[in-house]
Amino acid sequence: MQELHDLNDEDLRGLAPETVAALAHQMLQRLRRQDGEIKFKDAKIEKITFQLARLKAWKFGAKTEAMNAEQKRLFEETLAEDEANLQAQLEQARGQASTPPATDGDNNKRKPRRQPLPDHLRRVEHHHEPDDTNCPSPGCGKPMKRVGEDVSERLDIVPAEFFVHRHIYGKWACRCCQCLVQEAAPPQIIDGGMPATGLVVHTMISRFVDHVPYYRQEAINARSGVHTPRSTLASWSGRGGAALEPLFVAQKRFVLSTRVLHADETPVAMLDPGAGKTKRAYVWAYARGAFDAVPGVVYDFCLGRGSQYPIAFLGADDDPNGRRGWSGTLVRDEYKAYEHVMAAEPGRVAAGCLAHARRKFDELLRDNGKSAVATEALQRIARIYRIERELATLTNKERLARRTAVAQPLWEELHKWLRLERARVHDGSATAKALNYSLNAWKALTRNLLDGEVNVDNNHCENLIRPWALGRKAWLFAGSELAGQRAAIVMSLVQSAKINGHDPHAYLNDVLTRLPTHLNSRIDELLPHNWQRRLKAA
């Protein structure tokens, strides 16, 4: 049967009334169906548009300050996934080609901008040319001339590829002298073993930088048909960690050569096989000053949080071996154990952490949202931090001069206000405790006003100890004290490599390749900060 819209007036006159009625009924049903499809599509578009609007309201109106760092990161990642998904659905509903999500006005600032792809990446070129390069215009057909090109780049990845190094050692013999000559095998981190240095490094980086447990590495390697039991992977890391011990000793010596040192600690669970459960151990972090031109960090895995552990690490005046202990300015929080650490060496000076003092008022405000004292304290501390951000790029001498001129009056006003408010509140109250923290630590908190090399807080060290907090969520616990100490060795070097601007895999691979033949008297050449200078010199 013909379609009604295909017929003209003459065709309609020649049709029977019953046929015209059937065609009209058919067209009416089609129009109703199309109308229903349009309404359904409009409803779907309206629903998706509403979801996108609500998503943006969540994105830009959410109280992210109420989230911890991990929750905030997960929240942002989920929003990005949801927004891209809804945008794709909206484009499909509208019949549009896939395009990046549109942004409006100031929201552009919140979107990460696409960065140029790094030059060092391998490029695989795909050339796209017309099948026919003759002019398509009617009556022409002449050969066309290439006048330019457009280039677009897309980032791709090939999963980790296992390959085998075949070392073939030729044997050379003298028939006269019955002498056999063969090149000696170069020393390796694991002599006579299956893994090359690159595989050992990959295993260690996966474990200590990417925090991938050995059982997951075993499963990942199995996808490539390579059988690497977790016990074998752990053994490789153990051998690699042992090879790095001399370098760790040199790194510790370098970090403790600074005049301003940051210290902090964080708990790590350690397996206690005898008790059939885990017990709490600690990782202590020691970092060179926040304004130090050459950064560095070193970790110490300890069974407890007592003062004996940092005292042993830093050394003491009465050391039985006659070693001179570290002396200088120690930036730390007000944990009581540090009092004994400071007293262990006469030349040590305490510097406080303004971030910890601020945190007391922030906690007070969260517990009691109407605390005028907490609100005022946070505002006063914020003024000091605004000045400190402006001073970050100055020299130590310039920074001290600016602090004296601009920041010191704010500190003096803050001290006067703290004492006045403390006199107004009852002992034992939450407000009194927050005020007491700053007042009792005032001398250490204001140490930065006497030394331009000292930072106002200990956030520098807290940031460097954060990888341990991330790692313990992945591998849950250290298997033993020795395993914890080995992790501290590796983490000290790879984290120092990162803050010196190195790729930790490239650094560790080069170091472990060279260590078997490297002179111990020149071990400092392989430290992260010197490795950078060596590359520059080359």
Side-chain angles (χ1 to χ4, degrees):
M1 182 180 290
Q2 284 184 295
E3 299 291 347
L4 187 61
H5 59 75
D6 292 333
L7 302 176
N8 54 34
D9 292 341
E10 294 181 1
D11 294 331
L12 289 173
R13 293 192 192 98
L15 293 176
E18 297 83 2
T19 304
V20 174
L23 288 171
H25 179 70
Q26 181 191 61
M27 181 60 69
L28 182 61
Q29 284 186 323
R30 174 172 294 182
L31 288 174
R32 286 175 178 172
R33 186 169 61 252
Q34 289 177 346
D35 185 58
E37 290 175 353
I38 290 172
K39 288 181 178 179
F40 175 77
K41 183 178 287 188
D42 288 344
K44 185 176 181 180
I45 290 173
E46 183 181 359
K47 179 183 176 182
I48 296 173
T49 304
F50 169 75
Q51 289 176 326
L52 271 172
R54 184 174 61 177
L55 198 65
K56 289 181 179 180
W58 286 343
K59 184 175 183 179
F60 303 120
K63 296 182 179 179
T64 53
E65 66 272 12
M67 304 179 184
N68 60 37
E70 184 180 4
Q71 290 170 331
K72 184 177 180 181
R73 184 169 58 251
L74 180 61
F75 175 77
E76 292 173 345
E77 290 171 355
T78 304
L79 280 179
E81 289 180 6
D82 291 348
E83 187 175 0
N85 180 272
L86 289 172
Q87 192 71 39
Q89 289 185 41
L90 187 61
E91 290 163 358
Q92 290 174 4
R94 291 175 173 171
Q96 297 174 346
S98 178
T99 55
T103 55
D104 302 318
D106 294 336
N107 294 348
N108 285 327
K109 298 178 182 178
R110 302 175 184 266
K111 292 283 184 179
R113 297 194 175 187
R114 175 174 171 176
Q115 300 294 321
L117 297 178
D119 292 335
H120 70 272
L121 296 180
R122 178 171 60 95
R123 257 68 176 177
V124 179
E125 293 190 352
H126 305 271
H127 293 273
H128 306 273
E129 304 290 352
D131 294 333
D132 186 359
T133 58
N134 293 325
C135 180
S137 300
C140 183
K142 294 181 179 179
M144 293 185 293
K145 192 174 188 179
R146 199 173 191 271
V147 294
E149 61 185 17
D150 291 324
V151 178
S152 67
E153 292 191 332
R154 290 180 176 270
L155 190 62
D156 203 350
I157 185 173
V158 176
E161 177 192 6
F162 287 90
F163 64 97
V164 179
H165 290 284
R166 296 190 72 217
H167 297 274
I168 302 169
Y169 300 93
K171 295 181 179 181
W172 297 80
C174 177
R175 297 185 183 276
C176 300
C177 307
Q178 299 297 308
C179 176
L180 180 68
V181 176
Q182 187 177 31
E183 185 71 14
Q188 301 284 332
I189 292 297
I190 302 180
D191 281 323
M194 176 179 70
T197 301
L199 182 54
V200 176
V201 170
H202 176 75
T203 302
M204 296 174 71
I205 292 295
S206 297
R207 177 69 170 81
F208 297 110
V209 177
D210 300 327
H211 311 298
V212 181
Y214 292 129
Y215 75 90
R216 288 179 57 196
Q217 292 190 49
E218 178 184 354
I220 292 170
N221 295 347
R223 292 203 296 264
S224 297
V226 177
H227 179 56
T228 52
R230 66 192 71 177
S231 59
T232 300
L233 295 171
S235 174
W236 293 348
S237 286
R239 297 289 294 272
L244 292 172
E245 282 192 31
L247 200 55
F248 170 77
V249 174
Q251 176 69 8
K252 175 184 175 181
R253 184 169 59 246
F254 164 68
V255 170
L256 296 187
S257 67
T258 186
R259 189 179 67 82
V260 176
L261 188 70
H262 291 252
D264 198 13
E265 80 287 338
T266 190
V268 175
M270 186 184 75
L271 190 63
D272 186 3
K277 56 183 181 180
T278 61
K279 61 182 180 181
R280 176 170 288 193
Y282 282 86
V283 171
W284 293 76
Y286 304 91
R288 291 172 69 90
F291 300 118
D292 202 309
V294 186
V297 64
V298 66
Y299 303 105
D300 188 26
F301 185 88
C302 303
L303 296 180
R305 198 189 180 199
S307 61
Q308 68 269 30
Y309 298 107
I311 289 175
F313 189 87
L314 298 176
D317 188 41
D318 56 352
D319 190 291
N321 297 321
R323 292 183 297 116
R324 184 178 178 83
W326 171 85
S327 63
T329 300
L330 185 67
V331 184
R332 80 292 177 271
D333 56 34
E334 296 305 311
Y335 174 46
K336 291 296 182 182
Y338 287 113
E339 294 180 3
H340 301 287
V341 177
M342 304 309 296
E345 177 69 38
R348 291 174 186 168
V349 178
C353 177
L354 184 58
H356 276 76
R358 184 194 180 280
R359 208 167 293 160
K360 299 298 180 182
F361 292 108
D362 188 56
E363 292 170 358
L364 177 62
L365 190 62
R366 285 204 304 267
D367 297 337
N368 181 7
K370 297 180 180 179
S371 173
V373 172
T375 302
E376 178 69 18
L378 292 174
Q379 290 174 351
R380 289 176 177 270
I381 293 173
R383 295 189 196 109
I384 295 174
Y385 268 113
R386 274 195 292 270
I387 294 173
E388 284 298 321
R389 282 193 290 270
E390 297 172 1
L391 307 182
T393 57
L394 303 181
T395 65
N396 295 332
K397 186 176 180 180
E398 292 170 340
R399 187 179 302 110
L400 181 59
R402 289 289 294 162
R403 279 176 177 168
T404 302
V406 183
Q408 186 165 346
L410 296 180
W411 281 96
E412 292 172 352
E413 291 174 9
L414 175 61
H415 193 209
K416 182 179 179 180
W417 176 82
L418 289 171
R419 287 183 295 177
L420 180 63
E421 292 298 329
R422 181 61 186 88
R424 294 175 176 175
V425 299
H426 298 290
D427 295 343
S429 66
T431 303
K433 290 180 181 179
L435 293 167
N436 285 341
Y437 184 93
S438 296
L439 289 171
N440 294 338
W442 193 254
K443 184 177 180 181
L445 283 175
T446 54
R447 181 66 192 173
N448 65 91
L449 298 177
L450 303 176
D451 189 344
E453 195 175 347
V454 175
N455 200 15
V456 295
D457 58 35
N458 200 28
N459 288 349
H460 172 62
C461 193
E462 290 188 6
N463 290 334
L464 290 174
I465 209 170
R466 190 168 295 158
W468 287 90
L470 295 174
R472 68 189 175 208
K473 295 178 182 179
W475 35 257
L476 302 181
F477 54 80
S480 65
E481 182 180 1
L482 185 60
Q485 292 170 349
R486 184 168 57 252
I489 290 173
V490 180
M491 293 277 279
S492 297
L493 295 170
V494 296
Q495 291 302 323
S496 293
K498 287 174 68 175
I499 61 179
N500 275 280
H502 304 314
D503 170 21
H505 186 280
Y507 168 73
L508 209 58
N509 192 42
D510 180 65
V511 164
L512 285 178
T513 300
R514 297 168 60 190
L515 266 176
T517 57
H518 197 79
L519 294 176
N520 195 52
S521 59
R522 298 171 55 188
I523 196 71
D524 285 3
E525 294 177 3
L526 301 183
L527 290 177
H529 60 285
N530 286 333
W531 192 71
Q532 180 183 38
R533 291 174 184 171
R534 181 181 66 86
L535 288 180
K536 286 184 177 180

